[in-house]
Amino acid sequence: MHVRFLSVADFRSYEGADLALSPGVTTLVGLNGEGKTNLVEAIGYVATLSSHRVANDAPLVRFGAERATVRAAVVRDGRESVVELEITSGRANRARLNRSALTRPRDVLGTLRTVLFAPEDLALVKGDPSERRRFLDDLLVQRQPRWAAVRGDYDKIVKQRNALLKSAMPVLSRRGRRGGRRPDQAPVADEAASALHTLDVWNDHLAAVGGQLLYARLRLLRDLQPLLAEAYGQVSAADSEASAVYRSSLHEEAAAALAAGEVPEPDEVRGLILESLARVRDQEIERGVGLVGPHRDDVVLTLGELPAKGYASHGESWSFALALRLASYRLLRHDLGDDPVLILDDVFAELDVGRRDRLADMIADCEQVIITAAVGEDVPDALTGARFHVKHGTVTGEVA
Amino acid sequence: MYEGVVQDLIDELGRLPGVGPKSAQRLAFHLLQADAADVERLTAAITEVKAKVRFCEICGNVAEGQTCRICNDPRRDGSAICVVEEPKDVVAVERTREFRGRYHVLGGAISPLDGIGPDSLRFTELMSRLASGEVREVIIATDPNLEGEATAAYLARLLRSFEDVKVTRLASGLPVGGDLEYADEVTLGRAFEGRKTLT
């Protein structure tokens, strides 16, 4: 698929801008702070209904304006769909697809699919586990939108369960460190018994929904792994192999099996979570916080034998983050039988000449690639295509 | 900000569920302009409802006496109890005219985030109703969201000790008269799980 047309109004620094795009490579050149990234952010927003730079929508609306609008024409298999989004900070977005209003804006998800690499992605390698969990979960949602609901449910369960642990802590620890007997026939009047009972209920919930999420992540990582190794090898031309290993918060034996790349059946995953929860029960009660579940997991990225975090150089980390995105691109391409739009925000400046050229080779066959660069010369000559200059929030075209 | 009493009224109205500051203002000015008699009737209704209406001692539904209309009705089937979260859910189930049994209103759903645990809900009362031995079926009709499901699961655990009581949960699925294509993935997924054999 490709974006044929992008139009923004009151979006970030833009009062209004229109951009006619074509398949192949498009480069946006402009100095820092002139608004290149804002344009690719708008394209990313159409695909995911969220920005890759900020968690809430307020900064997306131009200062002083009431709402921002983004319109994009997406061509897939020769068919054009027009997505129109109205972003109002603090209120729900409004979305239109081919001129008809959608009751649920999230129904536009899937019309446009993008894979976006941005400098912020360095955090995938160097940042907290939450960055890597989000990477996996976002990719899950891109593959199948239904995961957005599972993820939302899971977050709520974790919050409820943590609130319970926190409030029940004094009641339960009063009964001694063992946490008391586990009631199967419950006298509700007994405060501690009823708290344990409630905890069991939330454990079941956590295991059921968390089990689905964990299973999906494991399968995703299994599919992604070979693509990652391949992409990293191609970008860096180095001997050390890039790999991503799931580090689970489940009990030791289970975590070891998962790290070895085993993907149990969904029911087994659920059982493993329940078992782990039972083992840490006393600890959880003592500390008043949940210790087990997909929300405590991580993905360990390694280069050869060494973990990338802490050991990889800046350039290697950059290439690793890039390889994760390129692997996602290839995975989605394989899933859809169609090319997502590849967006490379400011990627070339940080790569050496060899890596630049190899990256150019890798993306030569993509249906549409949108590149931003502060210095036009950073982009290898092999990537010829349309070139736009961005200055003071205006875009002028120049076909190279 | 308005002067004293007007602002007080706006603030009070603004505390009602579903009423934002703008609506509160509109309501307040509507009341200011309305006939004194109309306002009188409204205040009387509010005072009266607080004074007269109580919660049924058996089921927890709203009632004007000690027990509610449904619990008083001898024609209702005492062997089935439908457990709901709120009195308004009783009204919803009543509208179906499908159910001829009695109700039990829990008064909410388990939600640790809001500080609602089992002890703040009317589980104990339900247990003592079941102890009489008359009840053959408990139909759990809590909301089909996370908190409602948790409440249902909790209740199902409690009821394990009553071996001869059948425990059922309302089905989730597609809205009647709707289009399949408009159903969201979660609802459709649930409908798949709970599908029925036709032949």
Side-chain angles (χ1 to χ4, degrees):
Chain A
M1 61 176 69
H2 66 271
V3 179
R4 190 187 60 73
F5 180 77
L6 174 75
S7 151
V8 293
D10 292 329
F11 185 86
R12 289 272 191 189
S13 58
Y14 289 91
E15 231 173 284
D18 298 321
L19 200 59
L21 297 162
S22 44
V25 179
T26 300
T27 312
L28 304 170
V29 185
L31 296 177
N32 296 331
E34 299 284 354
K36 306 177 296 288
T37 300
N38 296 349
L39 290 174
V40 295
E41 184 182 27
I43 297 176
Y45 196 94
V46 172
T48 59
L49 293 180
S50 66
S51 153
H52 69 283
R53 295 153 88 190
V54 287
N56 73 19
D57 287 347
L60 302 182
V61 181
R62 192 172 64 93
F63 188 75
E66 204 171 309
R67 65 179 75 88
T69 49
V70 178
R71 203 150 59 91
V74 183
V75 180
R76 183 178 181 186
D77 298 335
R79 250 172 229 279
E80 183 166 301
S81 323
V82 179
V83 178
E84 228 181 307
L85 298 174
E86 244 182 54
I87 307 162
T88 315
S89 119
R91 268 203 285 156
N93 292 341
R94 279 202 289 191
R96 291 205 287 177
L97 182 60
N98 296 326
R99 300 189 170 277
S100 51
L102 298 174
T103 36
R104 286 171 306 197
R106 64 188 169 90
D107 286 347
V108 303
L109 293 176
T111 311
L112 172 64
R113 289 184 208 244
T114 59
V115 171
L116 194 157
F117 174 84
E120 286 85 350
D121 287 345
L122 200 54
L124 291 177
V125 182
K126 297 191 167 181
D128 294 339
S130 62
E131 304 278 352
R132 289 176 286 280
R133 290 195 295 266
R134 193 171 63 220
F135 167 78
L136 285 184
D137 293 348
D138 283 348
L139 189 54
L140 275 180
V141 175
Q142 282 242 7
R143 286 182 96 180
Q144 284 177 303
R146 83 173 189 91
W147 288 105
V150 175
R151 194 178 168 183
D153 276 0
Y154 184 74
D155 288 345
K156 268 193 256 170
I157 292 170
V158 168
K159 278 197 194 122
Q160 288 279 21
R161 193 170 171 277
N162 280 336
L164 173 69
L165 283 168
K166 207 170 166 187
S167 65
M169 185 173 50
V171 182
L172 293 174
S173 42
R174 230 187 289 138
R175 289 175 68 98
R177 270 207 67 244
R178 290 284 109 199
R181 72 208 154 84
R182 291 188 58 180
D184 278 326
Q185 312 221 326
V188 198
D190 183 338
E191 210 184 343
S194 109
L196 283 181
H197 229 72
T198 321
L199 186 58
D200 279 341
V201 166
W202 288 105
N203 282 0
D204 286 347
H205 257 35
L206 184 101
V209 181
Q212 286 182 43
L213 187 63
L214 180 52
Y215 173 71
R217 280 190 192 166
L218 291 169
R219 267 208 336 194
L220 172 66
L221 204 59
R222 189 183 60 188
D223 295 348
L224 198 65
Q225 176 59 50
L227 298 171
L228 171 68
E230 185 190 41
Y232 186 82
Q234 285 170 338
V235 175
S236 69
D239 294 333
S240 42
E241 193 179 295
S243 72
V245 175
Y246 200 82
R247 178 185 283 165
S248 161
S249 54
L250 297 181
H251 63 77
E252 234 169 280
E253 305 91 274
L258 299 186
E262 242 177 72
V263 181
E265 290 302 303
D267 280 344
E268 284 176 60
V269 179
R270 181 182 169 167
L272 289 175
I273 297 181
L274 279 176
E275 201 184 317
S276 303
L277 285 172
R279 291 201 199 179
V280 297
R281 192 184 187 90
D282 290 345
Q283 257 177 297
E284 286 193 328
I285 289 170
E286 199 174 312
R287 293 175 52 182
V289 63
L291 299 171
V292 168
H295 65 293
R296 308 272 303 197
D297 294 353
D298 192 4
V299 177
V300 180
L301 306 174
T302 56
L303 273 179
E305 299 296 311
L306 295 172
K309 191 175 178 174
Y311 286 90
S313 72
H314 180 75
E316 282 172 329
S317 303
W318 192 265
S319 305
F320 206 126
L322 180 62
L324 283 169
R325 291 297 179 194
L326 291 170
S328 315
Y329 181 87
R330 288 175 176 174
L331 186 68
L332 289 174
R333 169 194 258 178
H334 177 262
D335 275 4
L336 302 173
D338 184 30
D339 282 7
V341 174
L342 182 63
I343 301 174
L344 300 173
D345 184 13
D346 224 354
V347 66
F348 286 102
E350 300 270 352
L351 296 175
D352 60 39
V353 177
R355 288 181 192 219
R356 282 180 193 176
D357 289 339
R358 284 190 295 272
L359 175 59
D361 278 349
M362 287 171 75
I363 60 177
D365 67 331
C366 300
E367 184 174 337
Q368 187 174 44
V369 185
I370 299 170
I371 296 169
T372 74
V375 183
E377 288 72 48
D378 284 351
V379 182
D381 294 336
L383 297 173
T384 51
R387 194 164 275 210
F388 292 91
H389 291 275
V390 182
K391 198 172 184 188
H392 298 319
T394 53
V395 187
T396 44
E398 163 213 316
V399 179
Chain B
M1 289 294 272
Y2 294 90
E3 280 181 38
V5 279
V6 180
Q7 189 60 44
D8 287 349
L9 178 59
I10 294 175
D11 289 347
E12 285 306 314
L13 289 169
R15 286 168 55 191
L16 298 175
V19 180
K22 285 267 168 64
S23 311
Q25 195 176 317
R26 234 175 66 214
L27 291 170
F29 280 97
H30 172 82
L31 291 174
L32 277 179
Q33 280 159 8
D35 280 349
D38 285 343
V39 178
E40 210 60 39
R41 263 206 311 282
L42 179 63
T43 46
I46 293 174
T47 334
E48 205 167 347
V49 87
K50 275 318 270 184
K52 273 198 188 159
V53 174
R54 288 182 293 177
F55 292 98
C56 170
E57 283 173 5
I58 302 171
C59 73
N61 195 7
V62 285
E64 283 199 26
Q66 280 195 331
T67 53
C68 73
R69 192 175 45 81
I70 296 169
C71 289
N72 286 335
D73 188 343
R75 288 168 302 171
R76 303 293 293 218
D77 174 9
S79 70
I81 290 185
C82 177
V83 180
V84 296
E85 291 179 18
E86 308 279 351
K88 58 180 193 284
D89 299 330
V90 173
V91 179
V93 180
E94 279 295 277
R95 269 204 304 266
T96 66
R97 298 173 187 278
E98 287 285 328
F99 180 65
R100 299 304 299 159
R102 298 213 157 100
Y103 291 91
H104 192 83
V105 181
L106 291 173
I110 296 178
S111 172
L113 274 178
D114 303 306
I116 303 176
D119 33 335
S120 32
L121 301 173
R122 304 180 69 256
F123 284 115
T124 331
E125 290 86 341
L126 180 62
M127 294 302 123
S128 36
R129 284 178 80 181
L130 293 180
S132 72
E134 191 195 354
V135 179
R136 294 274 81 88
E137 181 177 3
V138 172
I139 301 158
I140 306 179
T142 51
D143 289 343
N145 53 26
L146 280 179
E147 292 76 23
E149 295 295 353
T151 312
Y154 180 85
L155 186 53
R157 280 168 172 269
L158 284 187
L159 297 177
R160 270 186 214 156
S161 47
F162 296 89
E163 271 162 22
D164 39 354
V165 176
K166 189 168 146 196
V167 181
T168 54
R169 172 95 178 100
L170 286 194
S172 292
L174 298 170
V176 176
D179 275 324
L180 202 65
E181 55 164 340
Y182 290 123
D184 64 288
E185 318 83 62
V186 183
T187 308
L188 200 49
R190 288 276 204 95
F192 256 96
E193 272 173 41
R195 66 187 182 273
K196 272 188 187 166
T197 315
L198 289 182
T199 51

